[in-house]
Amino acid sequence: PNRFDAQRPVYNPVSLAQDQKDKLLRLYVASQINLSDRWHVVAGASWARSDSSGINYGEDIDIYQSEVNPYAGLLFDITPFVTAYASYTTIFNPQGQYDINHAQLDPIEGTNIEAGVKANLFDQNFYLTATVFETKQENLASFVGSVEDPVFGNFFYYEGVDTTARGFEIEMAGRVTPNWEVSGGYSKLTRLEDDDGAETREFIPRETIKLSTTYNVPQ
């Protein structure tokens, strides 16, 4: 009988594209200062150290980075159960993506500012927060595409993009009865743009609603 022999595919030799070790160490210090019975200050800082070593697509990796990030917050007790606050912090977040030249992207840096109100209601059985925020991040990894590497196959690469996010969030959690608890929230990004003012990171939802409930049967 006739027999058809399909041509077998030819693959590149087995090769190790990446062998990398990443270490991240963070240290925190924080304090709370009571300026009066109603005014409070929370201040602190974090220190981060990132070490990366190994190989990535034939390129040697030997990266050491460190940063100190301060934090400050001001709180005012409107009533014994309602507190208004505002806070400011800087951002340092190492990332593991690479650009088209096989160079690891620099860490994300930026600032986060937020303000809001926190309340304990109904004999402290119900917790409610409302917050507005603005986050600016520099060099945030954004996927660009892929190129064919003659040795290792497809290589996916990224570029750093400066982004600004603004929005608000409302969250609640509490006990309706001794056995019934509910929690939920709503958040909306009113702005998520790059440094040219164009919409970016469109895969991130601009509006999010979440709701959960639990009931413990007395029996």
Side-chain angles (χ1 to χ4, degrees):
N2 293 330
R3 178 176 174 179
F4 174 73
D5 292 324
Q7 184 178 0
R8 295 179 179 273
V10 178
Y11 299 101
N12 291 333
V14 176
S15 58
L16 181 63
Q18 186 178 44
D19 183 11
Q20 179 175 338
K21 180 181 291 185
D22 297 314
K23 295 181 180 179
L24 178 62
L25 174 65
R26 288 189 185 271
L27 300 177
Y28 300 87
V29 60
S31 64
Q32 179 170 322
I33 304 171
N34 296 322
L35 302 178
S36 68
D37 291 340
R38 303 178 71 178
W39 287 97
H40 316 278
V41 172
V42 177
S46 68
W47 173 78
R49 168 178 167 171
S50 173
D51 294 282
S52 297
S53 60
I55 59 170
N56 180 70
Y57 284 80
E59 301 290 336
D60 291 332
I61 301 170
D62 186 12
I63 303 173
Y64 165 79
Q65 301 158 323
S66 66
E67 183 87 6
V68 175
N69 298 106
Y71 167 84
L74 180 65
L75 299 89
F76 175 70
D77 295 330
I78 301 173
T79 73
F81 307 108
V82 180
T83 300
Y85 76 95
S87 67
Y88 170 88
T89 186
T90 57
I91 299 169
F92 176 80
N93 189 22
Q95 48 190 348
Q97 291 83 359
Y98 291 82
D99 64 17
I100 194 172
N101 299 314
H102 295 180
Q104 187 169 343
L105 295 181
D106 291 334
I108 301 169
E109 297 190 55
T111 59
N112 183 74
I113 302 172
E114 65 178 67
V117 176
K118 301 180 180 182
N120 283 311
L121 308 173
F122 307 116
D123 294 328
Q124 303 188 50
N125 287 318
F126 204 82
Y127 181 70
L128 177 68
T129 65
T131 306
V132 294
F133 60 87
E134 179 182 84
T135 303
K136 294 185 177 182
Q137 298 182 90
E138 300 176 0
N139 204 47
L140 182 64
S142 180
F143 177 73
V144 179
S146 65
V147 293
E148 181 70 23
D149 189 284
V151 177
F152 304 104
N154 279 342
F155 171 73
F156 299 94
Y157 66 98
Y158 298 74
E159 65 178 3
V161 176
D162 298 342
T163 65
T164 299
R166 292 175 182 166
F168 64 88
E169 184 175 46
I170 300 172
E171 291 188 333
M172 59 86 179
R175 192 184 301 274
V176 180
T177 70
N179 298 309
W180 183 18
E181 297 179 355
V182 297
S183 65
Y186 171 74
S187 63
K188 180 177 177 64
L189 286 172
T190 58
R191 177 186 179 190
L192 183 52
E193 300 173 343
D194 60 20
D195 51 353
D196 294 325
E199 288 284 324
T200 187
R201 303 182 75 80
E202 297 184 5
F203 58 88
I204 296 179
R206 268 38 179 184
E207 291 185 86
T208 304
I209 298 175
K210 53 186 178 182
L211 179 65
S212 66
T213 182
T214 60
Y215 182 78
N216 297 316
V217 180
Q219 288 78 7

